[in-house]
């Protein structure tokens, strides 16, 4: 049975909550209109598709999603990934290109729904947060560079850092000065507004909340000013690219065109977009949910985001996910439930019906400037610095992800990020931390002999294993016991202290059997202590306990006391 999380908040919905949601919806609508247009430009699609992707998807997520404040729609990284994927199967500006983008949204939605029904919410664990930050940082750099061509008024396509830099260098002499003036003005205005406007308005006597809200509407002001300037100065005739005619009206609800050959080409990009979108969305949802003690169900989020992408496809949009900036604005503006997203969808629909003619003279350089400022917050070099100081293995994973994303593109970047995360996990667990332990005098506690003053017994080698045992570290266990025994004389008993061992797979079981056999040949007995119940249950299903030379003890202290007396 499909769960409808919206029922949880609809039961207690009242007038006060509706007023809060309406205010938040108004603010997010004002913010989302320029973002939707800009991200459609980033994806290489007609601007109206950005509006279409901001209507029905919001309603679908409001019904099926679990976060009460997450705002769904086009986002920068997913738009870039859309452009990369669709550009391989169709030429930008053609009907086939838009059709392929719609098909990509459908495929992404179906992938998310399938993962949701299979309860694969744990896929978020495949990418570590530092690696995701590295990928987003590299994507932000590519996005910003890709928009410079619109600000300069030149055609400089590219999907990687070398391609973009080469194209920009070649075409730089063809810069349209009028376009550069508009783009530079918008960049400066948006930068100053983001950094100083809220503080300035607060000094003028406005409340902090109102000041911050007005500062976030700066892109709308930039759009209005640039439209008026472009119209008054007839910039269209001077080579400044404008948005042009945007179809007026609501999107037609229709079944996406299915081309199985195109579907086959897009299935891998669809999975990668679904993965990145899901991870970004859940991260934002959990961050906001923690502030109100609201629980985010990862499996249900797959359903909610899947429904949003399918809705986008059926209404002529492209892939969507939960956006950080608009979700934070939605939260800060006082949204209480997903009704705010439904009201936002209504506001975008009204804009699509009434406001599109006014956008004819909107310079594309303005939208490009909006994107550059928006993605500047995605570029986070701090995570690289912190990783270098904290853990060189993390730093290496982040560096590989960033470099491959910049040099080979976002799809390779995602794959490298997943690979780096898995490799990092395997690296850390294939050589698990262990400690030779002894008794803290006067207690029953056991600590690392290299860190504490402890008591040991010459006939006992106590090894604490601080990791589950599985195929990747099974061989390490054998090497560890052999190495430690070679360094000691008179050892009669080896005790493996297992409080941190949550699982022992078949490979590790075979390694334990090998260790047991090897020790028996040396007249040394193998013992286990503090074995967890599920691990003990698994061992009982094998022949290991019958072959074990020693015993299994409930506590390590009991094992040491008994075996020390035998010496």
């Amino acid at each position: 049975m499909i769960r409808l999380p919206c029922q949880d908040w609809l039961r207690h919905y009242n007038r006060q909550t509706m007023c809060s949601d309406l205010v938040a919806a108004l603010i997010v609508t004002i913010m989302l209109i320029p973002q939707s247009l800009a991200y459609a430009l980033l994806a290489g699609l007609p601007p109206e598709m950005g509006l279409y992707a901001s209507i029905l998807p919001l309603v679908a997520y409001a019904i099926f999603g679990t976060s009460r404040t997450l705002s769904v729609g086009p986002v920068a990284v997913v738009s870039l990934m859309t452009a990369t994927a669709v550009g391989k199967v169709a030429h930008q500006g053609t009907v086939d290109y838009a059709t392929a983008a719609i098909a990509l949204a459908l495929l992404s939605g179906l992938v998310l729904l399938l993962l949701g029904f299979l309860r694969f919410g744990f896929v978020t664990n495949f990418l570590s947060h530092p690696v995701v930050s590295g990928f987003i940082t590299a994507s932000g750099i590519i996005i910003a560079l890709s928009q410079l061509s619109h600000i300069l008024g030149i055609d400089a396509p590219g999907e990687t850092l070398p391609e973009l830099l080469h194209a920009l260098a070649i075409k730089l002499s063809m810069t349209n000065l009028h376009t550069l003036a508009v783009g530079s003005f918008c960049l400066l205005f948006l930068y100053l507004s983001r950094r100083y406007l809220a503080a300035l308005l607060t000094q003028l006597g406005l409340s902090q909340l109102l000041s911050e809200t007005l500062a976030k509407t700066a892109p709308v002001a930039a759009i209005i000013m640039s439209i008026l300037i472009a119209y008054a100065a007839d910039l269209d005739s001077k080579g400044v690219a404008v948005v042009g005619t945007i179809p007026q009206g609501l999107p037609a609800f229709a079944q996406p065109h299915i081309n199985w050959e195109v579907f086959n080409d897009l299935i891998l990009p669809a999975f990668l977009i679904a993965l990145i979108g899901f991870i970004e969305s859940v991260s934002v949802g959990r961050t906001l949910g923690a502030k109100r003690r609201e629980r985010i169900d990862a499996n249900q989020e797959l359903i909610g985001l899947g429904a949003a992408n399918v809705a986008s496809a059926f209404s002529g949009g492209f892939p969507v996910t939960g956006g950080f900036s608009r979700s934070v604005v939605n939260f800060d503006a006082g949204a209480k439930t997903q009704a705010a997203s439904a009201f936002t969808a209504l506001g975008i629909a009204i804009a699509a019906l009434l406001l599109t003619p006014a956008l004819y003279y909107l310079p594309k350089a303005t939208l490009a400037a909006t994107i550059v400022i928006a993605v500047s917050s995605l570029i986070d070099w701090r995570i690289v610095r912190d990783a270098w100081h904290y853990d060189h293995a993390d730093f290496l994973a982040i560096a590989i992800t960033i470099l491959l994303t910049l040099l080979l593109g976002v799809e390779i970047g995602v794959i490298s990020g997943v690979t780096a995360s898995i490799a990092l996990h395997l690296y850390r667990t294939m050589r698990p931390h262990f400690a030779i332990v002894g008794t803290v005098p006067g207690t029953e506690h056991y600590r690392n002999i290299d860190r504490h003053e402890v008591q040991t017994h010459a006939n006992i080698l106590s090894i604490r294993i601080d990791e589950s045992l599985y195929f990747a570290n099974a061989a390490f266990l054998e090497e560890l016991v052999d190495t430690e025994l070679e360094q000691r004389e008179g050892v009669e008993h080896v005790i493996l202290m297992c409080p941190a061992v949550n699982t022992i797979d078949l490979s590790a079981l075979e390694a334990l059997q090998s260790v047991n056999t090897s020790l028996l040949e040396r007249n040394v007995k193998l013992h286990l202590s503090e074995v967890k119940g599920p691990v003990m249950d698994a061992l009982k299903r094998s022949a290991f306990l019958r072959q074990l030379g020693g015993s299994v003890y409930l506590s390590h202290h009991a094992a040491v006391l008994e075996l020390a007396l035998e010496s």
Side-chain angles (χ1 to χ4, degrees), residues 100-158:
I102 294 171
L104 185 62
L106 178 62
L107 273 175
S108 298
L110 293 176
V111 168
L112 287 163
L113 288 173
L114 177 62
L115 294 176
F117 288 131
L118 294 176
R119 305 189 66 78
F120 269 38
F122 63 84
V123 296
T124 55
N125 300 326
F126 284 133
L127 278 172
S128 70
H129 179 263
V131 168
V132 172
S133 297
F135 168 74
I136 291 177
T137 292
S139 298
I141 294 171
I142 292 176
I143 290 169
L145 281 175
S146 71
Q147 297 309 298
L148 284 183
S149 60
H150 296 290
I151 293 174
L152 296 172
I154 59 178
D155 181 23

Side-chain angles (χ1 to χ4, degrees), residues 227-249:
I227 287 175
L228 293 176
I229 293 171
Y231 176 76
D234 193 21
L235 293 181
D236 187 17
S237 64
K238 298 175 182 177
V240 176
V242 296
V243 168
T245 303
I246 300 177
Q248 190 173 4

Side-chain angles (χ1 to χ4, degrees), residues 12 20 25 60 100 121 127 161-162 172 194 263 276 289-290 316 326 340 345 355 375 428 430 500 525 531 561:
H12 310 289
S20 298
L127 278 172
L161 181 63
L172 189 61
R194 167 176 283 196
F263 267 38
I276 289 297
R326 75 172 69 97
L355 298 182
V375 301
R428 284 172 172 160
M430 69 187 296
K525 293 181 180 180
V531 180
L561 288 180

Side-chain angles (χ1 to χ4, degrees), residues 247-269:
Q248 190 173 4
L250 296 175
F253 191 80
Q255 178 181 327
H257 176 69
I258 297 176
N259 183 317
W260 295 112
E261 184 177 347
V262 172
F263 267 38
N264 186 57
D265 292 335
L266 293 178
I267 186 62
L268 177 59

